């Protein structure tokens, strides 16, 4: 995935400024001087997802903000982002955020408790493999500056952090990771970091959390191992796709797994 060119950065800015409009593909393409066909190819190559999928992701991200910051009903929020059907909105939100709109709104009350429970953990699972076994993906996640908190890292089916990762874990700060028994397929390595003491709404709506994504897809072949990955976290950039998956949900899944071990 190449660095975004000025034309694509302008397209991203245009989409963000006009999210309340219908945003047809030909309108976005014309704004930056491309035919729809060439614009889709260029946008997907540089951002990782198609323009209209990016629009859809931004609108679901807006729905998350409305759920946290307003008292609007779920149906009204769906209408606000252009979803006429309550059922379609609820299904799409649940698939890509990991919980229903109602549960997402309710999770604000427990989000900080999950983070505090993680901070109190005395022992974290071993993340370093002496010799990475077959069917594994391993590497290191680092922050550019001293960081104290939890890093959420996962292998996703698409180059955007939405839905539950196919394989995922939490790390206590910058650390190694190793995913075992990874099925053959194509994956995208994505991560974000939550500082200790961060307020619940700030990682329920992760606009400013550090994040990182491997620029190239990981292709896992049968009986193979992918190792030595180095993923550098960075402050959010304008062209980063929104983090749709509920971070408190991932925290809670991790905590439950530790209790069951």
């Amino acid at each position: 995935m190449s660095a975004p060119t000025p034309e694509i950065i302008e397209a991203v800015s245009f989409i963000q400024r006009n999210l309340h409009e219908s945003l047809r593909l030909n309108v976005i393409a014309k704004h930056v001087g491309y035919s729809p066909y060439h614009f889709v190819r260029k946008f997907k190559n540089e951002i990782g997802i198609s323009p209209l999928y990016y629009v859809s992701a931004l609108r679901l991200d807006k729905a998350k903000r409305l759920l946290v910051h307003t008292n609007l009903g779920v149906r009204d929020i769906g209408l606000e982002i252009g979803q006429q059907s309550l059922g379609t909105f609820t299904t799409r939100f649940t698939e890509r955020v990991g919980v229903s709109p109602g549960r997402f709104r309710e999770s604000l009350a427990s989000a900080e408790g999950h983070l505090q429970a993680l901070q109190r953990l005395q022992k974290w699972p071993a993340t370093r493999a002496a010799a990475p076994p077959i069917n594994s993906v391993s590497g290191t996640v680092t922050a550019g500056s001293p960081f104290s908190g939890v890093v959420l890292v996962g292998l996703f089916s698409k180059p955007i952090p939405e839905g539950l990762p196919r394989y995922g874990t939490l790390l206590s700060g910058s650390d190694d990771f190793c995913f075992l028994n990874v099925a053959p397929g194509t994956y995208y390595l994505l991560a974000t970091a939550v500082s200790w003491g961060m307020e619940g709404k700030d990682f329920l709506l992760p606009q400013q959390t550090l994040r990182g994504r491997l620029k190239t897809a990981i292709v896992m072949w049968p009986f193979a191992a992918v190792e030595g990955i180095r993923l550098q976290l960075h402050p959010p950039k304008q062209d980063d796709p929104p983090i749709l998956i509920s971070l408190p949900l991932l925290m809670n899944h991790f905590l439950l797994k530790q209790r069951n071990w």
Side-chain angles (χ1 to χ4, degrees):
M1 193 184 302
S2 57
T5 55
E7 297 89 347
I8 295 304
I9 290 295
E10 173 55 31
V12 166
S13 179
F14 178 79
I15 290 170
Q16 293 172 346
R17 294 194 308 268
N18 296 278
L19 202 58
H20 57 285
E21 302 288 348
S22 61
L23 286 174
R24 296 188 304 275
L25 179 60
N26 63 323
V27 172
I28 307 172
K30 182 179 179 180
H31 178 75
V32 291
Y34 281 94
S35 70
Y37 173 76
H38 286 96
F39 174 65
V40 168
R41 288 183 60 190
K42 187 171 179 63
F43 191 99
K44 191 170 184 179
N45 180 59
E46 298 182 21
I47 302 300
I49 53 179
S50 72
L52 295 185
Y53 202 89
Y54 182 77
V55 170
S56 173
L58 287 183
R59 286 177 172 157
L60 284 175
D61 193 52
K62 178 180 179 180
K64 289 170 61 178
R65 296 197 303 274
L66 291 172
L67 284 165
V68 171
H69 291 306
T70 75
N71 292 320
L72 287 173
V74 172
R75 180 182 293 276
D76 292 332
I77 290 173
L79 292 172
E80 188 73 20
I81 67 165
Q83 287 289 341
Q84 300 299 318
S85 166
L86 174 61
T88 300
F89 169 58
T90 300
T91 298
R92 189 164 298 170
F93 188 99
T94 304
E95 287 176 348
R96 299 174 67 179
V97 178
V99 293
S100 69
R103 284 192 60 195
F104 181 82
R105 174 174 268 165
E106 293 168 357
S107 67
L108 178 60
S110 57
E112 288 181 25
H114 295 328
L115 184 61
Q116 291 164 4
L118 288 167
Q119 190 172 13
R120 291 194 299 267
L121 275 182
Q122 298 297 313
K123 185 177 180 181
W124 288 67
T127 56
R128 188 189 302 270
I134 60 172
N135 302 330
S136 69
V137 175
S138 61
T140 304
V141 180
T142 60
S145 56
F147 170 77
S148 179
V150 60
V151 175
L152 303 93
V153 58
L155 295 176
F156 290 81
S157 299
K158 295 178 181 177
I160 175 173
E162 64 173 30
L164 291 173
R166 294 284 303 279
Y167 305 89
T169 192
L170 274 62
L171 309 174
S172 181
S174 299
D175 203 349
D176 298 328
F177 66 89
C178 184
F179 300 122
L180 302 175
N181 303 316
V182 178
T186 300
Y187 303 95
Y188 299 88
L189 182 67
L190 305 165
T192 192
V194 177
S195 302
W196 301 133
M198 185 175 279
E199 293 185 8
K201 61 180 175 58
D202 292 329
F203 59 88
L204 195 63
L205 304 172
Q207 308 294 319
Q208 300 302 321
T209 58
L210 297 174
R211 72 263 331 261
R213 53 176 172 156
L214 204 61
K215 290 185 177 180
T216 56
I218 295 172
V219 179
M220 173 60 68
W221 297 98
F223 311 110
V226 178
E227 54 186 303
I229 296 171
R230 297 192 65 83
L231 187 64
Q232 178 76 48
L233 298 176
H234 59 76
K237 302 174 183 176
Q238 182 184 10
D239 58 288
D240 285 330
I243 298 173
L244 292 183
I245 181 63
S246 167
L247 299 187
L249 174 68
L250 297 182
M251 292 176 179
N252 189 45
H253 281 196
F254 181 84
L255 288 166
L256 290 174
K257 188 181 294 184
Q258 308 320 304
R259 291 169 189 152
N260 292 333
W261 279 358

